[in-house]
Structures are given as structure tokens and as C-alpha cells.
Amino acid sequence: MSQSPLPTGTPQVTPRYRRLLIVQTCLYCILVVAGAVYLFLQLFSVPGFWLPATRLILATTFVALAFVENSLRCEGVEPQDSEPVTETTAAAPRPPGRLLQPGLQAWLHYFHRHLATTLITALLAIAFAIANIADTQPVDQSSAPPLAVTGFFILLCFTLLLIERMLSFKVIRGWQYQQQHTELVRAILSIFLLLTMAFLIAALSLTVTLWLIKLGSLIALLMALEYLLRAMMAMALPLSAESEPHFLTRSLFTALYRWPLQPVVLLLGAFHQRFGVDLRQIQAFRLLGKKLLPVTCCIAVLGWLLSGLTEVELYQRGIYEHFGRPVAVLSPGLHIGLPWPFGRVIPVENGAVHELQLSDNTETKQPAAQPDSVEGPAPQSSWRLWDNSHATDQSQVIASTTMDSQNFQMVNTDIRVIWRVGLKDRDALNSKYQTEDLPVLIRSVARQVLMAQFASKQLDQLLDEQRVTLAATLSQEIQQRLTQLNTGVELLFTRIEAIHPPAGAADAYHGVQAAQIAGNALIAREKGYAATVNNEAQRKAQTGFDTAEAAAAENLSRARAAATDFSAEEQAWQLAGEAFINERRYQILSQALAHTPLLILDNHLQGANEPVLDLRQYPALTDSTAPQKASTK
């Protein structure tokens, strides 16, 4: 059986219909203004909570627009000049030129007229609400709203309150959807009350302000999700020309805006109205409806009391706050305190070690297909070639000298600090209450120390200096500054991965180094030759000087020996007199005439036979060079 299209005609305009048209026009105007403000905030990236507030207003407006569109569609509309739908009309053949079946064309007409607006507005409201809830950007404290804006929203809330009182004060006959309108106004009033409260306390606590805006976004999200589900379920219903259009924007969530709260009774009533089964006659459901609120309250109170029971993990410590004031640092284990918000435990690290790169760019780790072996080549991540740029390198300004004038140059460094929160209780307190972001603070302090250290050193000094000594100096100065700031951070050590010129200037630096090495080699060779010549001259001069000193010392020794002999002989002469002189004379003569043939004549010889000189000459019978002995007769 084919489906017939719904009748079309001109609706009868009633005063209530005119009021709904006015509300629809106002909502479209609000959408235009809020959309323009939202585009301005997005394009210029205006800080503050104006962007979340604008999203909340847009989501709420889309929800209200979906409701008003359904009200206009279902508010007592009687079609006029409509043609009766018969089996013959429904089964009539397609006129030439039409590509769609009559049933599909009727469904598209029904979707365009009754479902499209609800689906589109619900999806837009869901998008803005989810964007608001998922937003984690920080808010600037200086973006507090002016009093005029806060006053406008207070006046808007008062106007919505008057409308709600007017709708709920008197039951209007013939208005089938009065209760749904009242519930919608209450829901919108609650959203704008949260937004107004957020504006009022924006100058005191931005965190609470954002949470209030997110709570309002959650309410709008639940309403939009329910509208979307109802519209999607209506798409699966069969089309009927006799049935009235469905009111798709009923909401079980907004039906809870009443006192006393009876959610079970409300659900049972909706079930009875929908399916004709009255579950309220069952005693169990009656008891559940009566005891649900007390039991829920007791469970909520018990859960609230159990919020004072806190477990601190083994790798953590806990700072216990008593009425917002830290009173103790808790060790790992189970602890009992006051329930939230009178007491809470803030977790703190307990000895966890962190590695912080001083550069803003972090190195992306790619999973290796095969792990590197210990005996194999070094992994590519450990290569520190100057010709390649590394993601973790940071440019640093250092001192330089050009043509006897002071200058500066750039150098790439990869320096990392290893730190942890101190193990003392005071360090744990300082790490939570004295600083907001420890990595950012440590990076800032370390960069200041690096700038102070490198400002007075040139590249050659940095390359020649021992890294262990430089790392120890940096660690000491960074720790001193962190201690002065009461950060509670313990710096374990500083690791210097690389210090080198920029990758683009590496080749030029290599050329400069080669020229310097060649020049230094020539200078060293000439200095060596000059040192050789100088040493040779010094050797010769020293040799002559030593020879002269030796000769002088030898002559002096001889003179001293002669003086000693003379002194000894003089003493002997004084003691022995003429006998010493004769003995000395004989000794000298014996030494002088030891190898000379002598004929000794002594006139002191006496006797009958006087000495006779034999003056005869004999031929040489032997070698003439042999000495001749003297003979006496």
C-alpha cells in the first residue's frame, strides 16, 4: 500500500499563533546577533569567558527555536482548501518528468515540513554545547563583564520568571501544550540564571564561572539530545493523512522542573499515556515512588560522608586541606578526614623523576621495528652530527670576537635537566602552593642561567670545556635559584647532549677551523725551528763557557796545589834547614837526570887514589842510541 502525501493548505492564524511568530522573530534576531559576536570572537581570538558564554546563548537559542517551530507547526492548524486523499489519488501513476515515487516524495515533503528544522537546530545546539563542555582553554582574569551586561541578564531572568508565572498561574482551555511551554521557560530560566551567576562571580573565581557555564551547557545538551532522538524516531513512523503532526519537542528532562520531585510517578504517567498500561496500580511502584526520594537522599548523604575517605597511592603523597588550609602531608595509604568540600586531599608526586628539555620543540619518538642491540651500532636518535638539524636543538646567543671588537653569534644546544619534587614535606607544600606550573618555571630559570653562562664564553671555549664541569656548574646555579623561589624542586643533574654551531654554518665553521689549524701548524713549525736555532746557539755558548770555566778551575787547582807544595816545603825548610835543601836538590836532580848517562865527580872523596877522568873515546859497538854508563878508574 502506497503512502499518500500530507494535505497542504493555509493555516488559520490565531492570537497565540501570532505571539509564537513574534517569539520566533525575536529568536532569529538573537541568533543573528549572537552568531556575529561568536564569529568576531573566533576570528580575533578574544581571551576570556565571552566565547563560552556566547556558545551557551547560541545553544539555548537553538533549543528554544526548535520548540517554537514545533509549536507553530502543531498550534491548532487546520488546513483549508485541501484535496481529499483517496486510494485512486494515492495509486495514480507518476506524471511524466518526475523522477521520484509518490511515497518517497510524500516522505520528503513530510521531512522538510515537520522534521528538518528540529533536526538541524538540535544538531547545532548539541555542537555548541559539546564545544563548551570540552573547552579547556585558560581564562584571563581581566576579562570580567561590565555591570551593564550583568544587569541586562538579570532583567532577562526577571522577564522569563514573569512569563513562567503567567503560564503556570492559570490553565488555559484548549491549549494542549501549555505544560510543555511552561517547562521550557523554566529550563531556559535555569540556564540564564546560571549564566547570570557566572557573570556576578567572574571577578572572584573564574573556575567557578566556567563550571557554571558548563553546567548550563549540559542542560542545553540534554534537551537537544532528547529533541534529536524524538525527531529520529518520528522519521520511522508511517505517514498518515488523518493524524495530526507530532509535537516532537516534549522533554522528560524539562518535566522534572516541578516540586515536589516525583520522577518515578512522572515516568509511570508517561508510560500510561503512551501505551495505556497503568503501572501506578502496582504496589511495588507505589512504594518505589514514595521511598525513592528519601532513599536517594540517604544514599547521597552517605556518599558525601564517604568522600572524606581518601586513598593515597604508593607512588604519591597527599596534602590534606582542612577548610582550605593545608595541615599535613599524608603518606601512601588510606586516610579519613572531613568530607568534601570541608576537607580534601591533593595528590603530590613521591620521588617521580622527570626529564625536561629546555627547548620548546620535543623530539617525536617513532617505534622501532627492531630494538637496537648492545653490541651493534648506535641508534640514529643518538647521532649528533653538526650538519643535521635536530628537533630538540635550541638556539643560544654567545659571545664572539671579530677584528678585535666584541660581537655575538648563534649556537645550537641540547641541554636537559633531570628533576623531581623534593622528598621533604615542605618541598611537597611548596611545589603545590608556591608555583602553578613546575616545568614552565624550571625551563624559564634554566634558560636564564644558560644565558648568563654563555654570554661571556665563546664557541671555542664551550667546545673545549669539559661538559661534566659545565653541567655541574649549571646544576648548582639552577638549584640555587629554584631554592630561592621556594619551588620545592630537587635538581638531580643537568645533561648536556650537544653544543655545536647551527647546521647551516657547520661547513663554514669547519673551513674556519681547518684554516686555524693550518695557521697554527705553520706558527708551531716556525716556533720549533726558532727554538732549535736558539737552543743550538745556547748550547755552543754554554759549551764555551763551560770549557773556560773548566780551564780556569784547572789552572786554579794547579796554582793551589803549587801553593800548597810551596807552603809544605817552606815549613820543611824551616824545620830541617840545609838538609831539606840538599835532599830536595838531590830529588830534583834525580828526577831530571833519571834517563841521562852521568859521570859523577865528587870532590869530597878522599884517599890515596884520587879520581881520574878517562877522556878516551871508544867506537860504538852497540846501538848509539843506548845510554852509556860512566866508568871510574
Side-chain angles (χ1 to χ4, degrees):
M1 180 178 179
S2 61
Q3 295 176 340
S4 59
L6 291 176
T8 58
T10 304
Q12 295 179 355
V13 179
T14 61
R16 192 181 302 121
Y17 191 86
R18 294 192 186 95
R19 296 190 189 98
L20 289 175
L21 287 176
I22 295 174
V23 174
Q24 183 189 32
T25 305
C26 295
L27 290 176
Y28 277 118
C29 293
I30 294 174
L31 280 180
V32 171
V33 175
V37 173
Y38 180 75
L39 289 177
F40 174 80
L41 295 176
Q42 283 282 20
L43 290 176
F44 295 96
S45 301
V46 179
F49 59 88
W50 290 108
L51 191 61
T54 308
R55 290 199 199 104
L56 178 58
I57 294 173
L58 286 172
T60 308
T61 307
F62 277 120
V63 170
L65 184 60
F67 187 90
V68 172
E69 289 288 345
N70 277 274
S71 297
L72 288 173
R73 182 173 55 86
C74 302
E75 189 60 46
V77 177
E78 293 292 341
Q80 298 178 355
D81 301 334
S82 59
E83 298 180 359
V85 180
T86 61
E87 293 291 335
T88 306
T89 307
R94 287 182 298 170
R98 290 191 177 182
L99 300 178
L100 300 178
Q101 295 288 340
L104 181 58
Q105 185 178 359
W107 187 88
L108 290 177
H109 178 74
Y110 175 79
F111 176 80
H112 172 71
R113 185 176 180 184
H114 301 290
L115 302 178
T117 305
T118 304
L119 286 173
I120 294 174
T121 52
L123 287 174
L124 290 174
I126 290 172
F128 282 111
I130 292 177
N132 234 9
I133 295 173
D135 189 9
T136 58
Q137 294 182 357
V139 179
D140 190 5
Q141 184 71 29
S142 61
S143 59
L147 294 178
V149 176
T150 307
F152 171 77
F153 279 96
I154 292 176
L155 182 61
L156 179 61
C157 292
F158 182 73
T159 304
L160 291 174
L161 180 61
L162 288 179
I163 296 174
E164 189 273 335
R165 289 290 86 195
M166 291 173 60
L167 291 175
S168 61
F169 179 73
K170 182 180 179 181
V171 178
I172 302 176
R173 293 182 180 180
W175 194 6
Q176 184 180 359
Y177 307 110
Q178 180 182 1
Q179 184 63 31
Q180 284 75 16
H181 284 75
T182 305
E183 294 168 355
L184 176 70
V185 173
R186 290 173 181 172
I188 296 177
L189 176 60
S190 65
I191 293 175
F192 280 103
L193 278 176
L194 291 174
L195 185 59
T196 306
M197 292 174 59
F199 285 163
L200 289 175
I201 65 175
L204 301 177
S205 176
L206 290 177
T207 304
V208 178
T209 299
L210 291 179
W211 277 108
L212 289 176
I213 294 177
K214 290 184 178 182
L215 181 59
S217 302
L218 180 61
I219 296 174
L221 176 63
L222 293 176
M223 296 171 62
L225 283 175
E226 190 171 359
Y227 291 172
L228 179 64
L229 291 176
R230 288 180 178 273
M232 294 177 64
M233 292 175 63
M235 293 172 60
L237 295 177
L239 303 183
S240 177
E242 291 80 8
S243 61
E244 296 181 357
H246 297 282
F247 191 78
L248 301 177
T249 51
R250 287 189 180 93
S251 176
L252 293 177
F253 177 75
T254 57
L256 297 176
Y257 280 85
R258 62 178 65 183
W259 187 260
L261 296 176
Q262 295 179 346
V264 177
V265 176
L266 179 63
L267 292 176
L268 293 178
F271 190 83
H272 178 255
Q273 182 181 3
R274 182 70 177 174
F275 300 101
V277 179
D278 191 5
L279 298 178
R280 291 172 293 185
Q281 302 300 326
I282 301 176
Q283 186 66 24
F285 286 103
R286 287 184 179 181
L287 182 61
L288 181 62
K290 293 180 180 179
K291 302 299 182 181
L292 179 62
L293 183 59
V295 171
T296 304
C297 292
C298 291
I299 294 175
V301 172
L302 181 61
W304 176 70
L305 293 176
L306 290 177
S307 64
L309 186 63
T310 307
E311 180 185 4
V312 180
E313 300 292 341
L314 292 176
Y315 55 88
Q316 291 180 340
R317 291 172 289 176
I319 300 177
Y320 177 65
E321 289 186 353
H322 183 74
F323 289 96
R325 179 181 179 182
V327 294
V329 178
L330 306 178
S331 59
L334 196 62
H335 302 274
I336 300 177
L338 294 178
W340 183 89
F342 305 109
R344 64 170 183 169
V345 177
I346 301 177
V348 185
E349 296 177 354
N350 189 13
V353 179
H354 303 275
E355 181 183 21
L356 179 64
Q357 298 177 357
L358 299 187
S359 60
D360 295 328
N361 299 325
T362 58
E363 187 175 4
T364 57
K365 296 183 179 180
Q366 298 180 355
Q370 184 177 2
D372 299 319
S373 60
V374 177
E375 299 179 356
Q380 190 174 3
S381 59
S382 63
W383 292 3
R384 294 297 173 187
L385 298 178
W386 290 6
D387 298 338
N388 298 331
S389 298
H390 304 280
T392 57
D393 286 348
Q394 177 189 4
S395 298
Q396 186 73 35
V397 178
I398 63 174
S400 176
T401 303
T402 304
M403 300 297 293
D404 297 334
S405 62
Q406 295 182 355
N407 204 339
F408 67 91
Q409 62 180 351
M410 303 297 295
V411 66
N412 286 355
T413 60
D414 185 5
I415 301 177
R416 308 179 184 187
V417 293
I418 312 300
W419 64 277
R420 69 179 180 184
V421 178
L423 301 180
K424 299 180 181 179
D425 294 346
R426 175 54 56 185
D427 295 335
L429 294 173
N430 290 337
S431 65
K432 281 297 179 182
Y433 297 102
Q434 297 293 336
T435 58
E436 182 177 359
D437 193 344
L438 283 178
V440 173
L441 178 62
I442 295 173
R443 183 181 287 112
S444 177
V445 172
R447 287 179 178 177
Q448 293 177 7
V449 173
L450 284 179
M451 186 177 297
Q453 282 288 330
F454 290 175
S456 59
K457 295 183 179 180
Q458 299 184 10
L459 181 59
D460 295 336
Q461 297 176 353
L462 291 176
L463 296 179
D464 296 339
E465 190 173 359
Q466 293 294 331
R467 292 189 179 183
V468 177
T469 306
L470 180 59
T473 304
L474 293 176
S475 298
Q476 183 179 2
E477 295 189 4
I478 294 173
Q479 183 64 62
Q480 288 179 356
R481 295 200 180 187
L482 292 175
T483 304
Q484 293 175 358
L485 296 175
N486 296 324
T487 58
V489 174
E490 180 183 356
L491 191 65
L492 300 180
F493 63 94
T494 301
R495 187 174 66 186
I496 301 177
E497 292 286 346
I499 299 178
H500 57 84
D507 294 337
Y509 185 78
H510 289 164
V512 172
Q513 276 192 327
Q516 289 180 350
I517 292 173
N520 292 334
L522 291 176
I523 293 173
R525 186 174 63 183
E526 295 299 327
K527 285 183 177 180
Y529 178 74
T532 302
V533 174
N534 187 22
N535 292 335
E536 183 66 21
Q538 289 181 357
R539 186 186 65 79
K540 291 181 179 180
Q542 188 67 29
T543 301
F545 181 75
D546 293 341
T547 303
E549 282 188 348
E554 185 177 358
N555 294 332
L556 182 61
S557 298
R558 291 176 181 176
R560 288 177 179 175
T564 302
D565 292 342
F566 177 77
S567 177
E569 291 178 355
E570 184 181 6
Q571 290 179 1
W573 174 74
Q574 290 178 358
L575 294 175
E578 192 66 24
F580 172 76
I581 294 176
N582 292 330
E583 182 181 359
R584 186 62 178 164
R585 182 185 300 114
Y586 293 150
Q587 183 179 3
I588 293 173
L589 288 175
S590 297
Q591 292 178 356
L593 302 176
H595 301 287
T596 304
L598 298 176
L599 177 64
I600 300 174
L601 298 177
D602 191 356
N603 59 351
H604 295 85
L605 297 176
Q606 296 179 4
N609 298 322
E610 296 181 356
V612 178
L613 296 174
D614 188 1
L615 299 178
R616 292 177 296 177
Q617 296 182 351
Y618 297 94
L621 298 178
T622 60
D623 189 5
S624 59
T625 60
Q628 299 293 327
K629 295 183 180 180
S631 61
T632 59
K633 291 184 178 180

